[in-house]
Amino acid sequence: MPFRQTLLRQCFLSIANCVPSKIRFLFSVRLAFLVLLSFFLFVPARAAAPFFQTYAQHDGLAGDYITSVAFAPDGAAWIGTARG
């Protein structure tokens, strides 16, 4: 069997052996880059940090520890503490 036919047969049997190692390395680097890029493209965007306002006894609360919170239909928040 001529050398060329033997080489082609080997290529069909194992295509990875016919590709030089440098090309395989570059392919794997490109593949890893595409996987990482696709991960960052499809991660949902994060929402802005919520705004918190802190209240304490010196702001008019009956106590510093909140035991319950209730929301009225008009959007007002009623806060209950151990002292009222």
Side-chain angles (χ1 to χ4, degrees), residues 13-35:
L13 294 177
S14 176
I15 205 144
N17 292 333
C18 297
V19 180
S21 62
K22 189 172 187 177
I23 294 174
R24 281 187 296 201
F25 173 74
L26 291 175
F27 177 74
S28 63
V29 168
R30 285 182 182 172
L31 182 63
F33 177 74
L34 288 175
V35 168

Side-chain angles (χ1 to χ4, degrees), residues 69-79:
V69 177
F71 292 96
D74 63 353
W78 292 84
I79 300 171

Side-chain angles (χ1 to χ4, degrees), residues 31-49:
L31 182 63
F33 177 74
L34 288 175
V35 168
L36 287 174
L37 182 65
S38 66
F39 173 74
F40 288 113
L41 288 177
F42 296 112
V43 172
R46 294 185 183 189

Side-chain angles (χ1 to χ4, degrees), residues 37-72:
L37 182 65
S38 66
F39 173 74
F40 288 113
L41 288 177
F42 296 112
V43 172
R46 294 185 183 189
F51 175 75
F52 289 99
Q53 182 68 39
T54 305
Y55 295 104
Q57 273 185 318
H58 65 270
D59 294 316
L61 283 178
D64 281 337
Y65 298 101
I66 295 174
T67 57
S68 61
V69 177
F71 292 96

